[in-house]
Structures are given as C-alpha cells and as structure tokens.
Amino acid sequence: QEKNQFLNTFYEKFLEPMISVFSASPHADLPKKELTVARNHVCELLTFFVQNHGYRIKYFVLRNNIVGKVCELMKDDEKYIALSAVRFVRACVGLKDEFY
C-alpha cells in the first residue's frame, strides 16, 4: 500500500520533469556536458524502472514516447550516452513484452 502510494506520487510529480532533459537544449545555465550527463542518468533510471516497475513504466513510456526519445540518444557523439540508450532498449526487448 505505502509502496504503491510512493510510486504513484513519483510517477505523477517527479518523472515527467526528469524526462524534460531529453528535449532540453544546451544553454548558459545547462552546458552540453552537464545536459549529456543528466540525460545519461535519466536513461539509466528509466532502464531500472523498465526492469522493476511493471505496468506503471509501460504506460509512462507509451504516453511520453520514451523509446523514441531514448533512441535519439544513440546519435550522440558521446559513446557513453549512446551505450546507455542501448541498455535501455535491451531492457525493453529483454522483457519479451509486446508492449514495448
């Protein structure tokens, strides 16, 4: 019960702002290097959520086009961010769930 309340709150209030780094552009307050690091961390968190959160992350991924946004990271010049995106896709495929 408490876990469900926490996850509901987290998905409703905190996850949406976190994924905004995928559409953000570098600027004075957020240089490219820091933006890339933030995208990497969010991508790693999403990978963990896909592996552990079941239905909540499925619907979040679908509603917010997360797979498309993460796949865009594969084009990044920094290899570690591209590899993070590959890990996310592998996690989705590894579930063998037609949803993804």
Side-chain angles (χ1 to χ4, degrees):
Q1 177 70 1
E2 191 174 309
K3 179 182 173 183
N4 281 335
Q5 286 178 325
F6 171 78
L7 287 175
N8 285 337
T9 302
F10 180 79
Y11 273 82
E12 290 172 10
K13 301 210 186 231
F14 299 107
L15 200 52
E16 194 91 25
M18 284 174 50
I19 64 164
S20 68
V21 298
F22 293 135
S23 56
S25 299
H27 52 77
D29 293 335
L30 189 60
K32 181 171 177 16
K33 179 70 174 168
E34 290 178 15
L35 181 60
T36 303
V37 169
R39 287 175 176 162
N40 181 59
H41 289 312
V42 171
C43 194
E44 293 294 335
L45 280 171
L46 289 170
T47 301
F48 175 82
F49 297 158
V50 164
Q51 294 168 335
N52 295 286
H53 287 185
Y55 74 92
R56 279 186 183 88
I57 192 66
K58 284 182 187 180
Y59 294 105
F60 186 83
V61 164
L62 181 64
R63 274 194 333 266
N64 295 286
N65 188 28
I66 299 297
V67 174
K69 292 175 182 177
V70 169
C71 285
E72 285 294 313
L73 298 178
M74 291 181 192
K75 299 175 187 174
D76 199 287
D77 295 336
E78 297 288 344
K79 297 299 177 203
Y80 71 93
I81 190 72
L83 290 173
S84 184
V86 169
R87 282 191 291 275
F88 173 81
V89 172
R90 283 185 64 198
C92 292
V93 171
L95 292 176
K96 298 178 183 164
D97 188 335
E98 292 178 12
F99 193 87
Y100 294 104

